[in-house]
Amino acid sequence: YEGVSAAIWQREESALTRYQHPGHHTLSCYLDGGQDIRRLYPSRSISGGAPGRICLMPEDHDSNWDVNGKIRFMHLYFSEQHLRHLAGRIQDKGSDHLVLQDLTFIDDLWISRLCQQMMMPLNWQDNADQMMLSSASDML
């Protein structure tokens, strides 16, 4: 669907990963592993990845990650235009002051369950299931 897409990522090898102003917002839901991932900052690093944890990365963010161990996660990518349209439709008012926070390794049971129990079991290639995926991504 226009302005939104999803992907399942899996890694088993160690790697340094950098996101530099990707041009889209990213909601990441850890499905398996992630305990050995660290987000790197200039003077510190934070860890805390685990199944069910959530990261939210605004389109203009810049982040560095030390990815170690096995990991599997779902990414939902969405454009600023899609977010503003959806926010305006839901709130029935302008979304001029909408700002996404950069969040790392957050516990949010509702988001985690929606990703793991509603979206993951669907056949992403099936037309009927794609309608469910679209609705679920709007809820996210």
Side-chain angles (χ1 to χ4, degrees):
Y1 293 92
E2 190 172 327
V4 64
S5 63
I8 305 299
W9 291 97
Q10 187 168 311
R11 271 202 150 136
E12 295 190 21
E13 72 281 349
S14 297
L16 290 175
T17 302
R18 181 171 189 181
Y19 296 97
Q20 189 172 22
H21 309 283
H24 54 73
H25 304 299
T26 305
L27 175 71
S28 180
C29 179
Y30 286 69
L31 302 171
D32 295 304
Q35 292 86 346
D36 297 322
I37 289 182
R38 293 180 306 132
R39 184 167 180 182
L40 307 174
Y41 293 91
S43 61
R44 65 185 173 98
S45 68
I46 60 171
S47 58
R53 295 280 167 84
I54 306 299
C55 295
L56 180 62
M57 297 166 280
E59 68 179 354
D60 61 349
H61 89 283
D62 188 6
S63 61
N64 295 291
W65 303 80
D66 184 10
V67 180
N68 292 294
K70 291 183 179 183
I71 181 171
R72 189 168 153 257
F73 50 92
M74 184 186 90
H75 274 178
L76 180 68
Y77 306 109
F78 50 102
S79 68
E80 179 69 12
Q81 181 181 4
H82 180 77
L83 179 64
R84 289 189 182 281
H85 171 76
L86 187 61
R89 194 175 81 205
I90 292 169
Q91 297 177 6
D92 195 30
K93 61 182 176 180
S95 55
D96 296 337
H97 303 290
L98 183 65
V99 176
L100 287 183
Q101 293 181 358
D102 188 336
L103 304 172
T104 304
F105 306 134
I106 302 301
D107 283 314
D108 189 308
L109 189 57
W110 188 86
I111 291 175
S112 175
R113 283 190 178 161
L114 184 66
C115 293
Q116 293 179 348
Q117 296 174 7
M118 184 175 177
M119 296 178 82
M120 289 304 301
L122 296 172
N123 177 351
W124 291 21
Q125 306 306 315
D126 181 77
N127 288 338
D129 283 0
Q130 286 178 0
M131 290 179 62
M132 286 293 297
L133 285 167
S134 176
S135 295
S137 68
D138 285 354
M139 286 190 287
L140 286 171

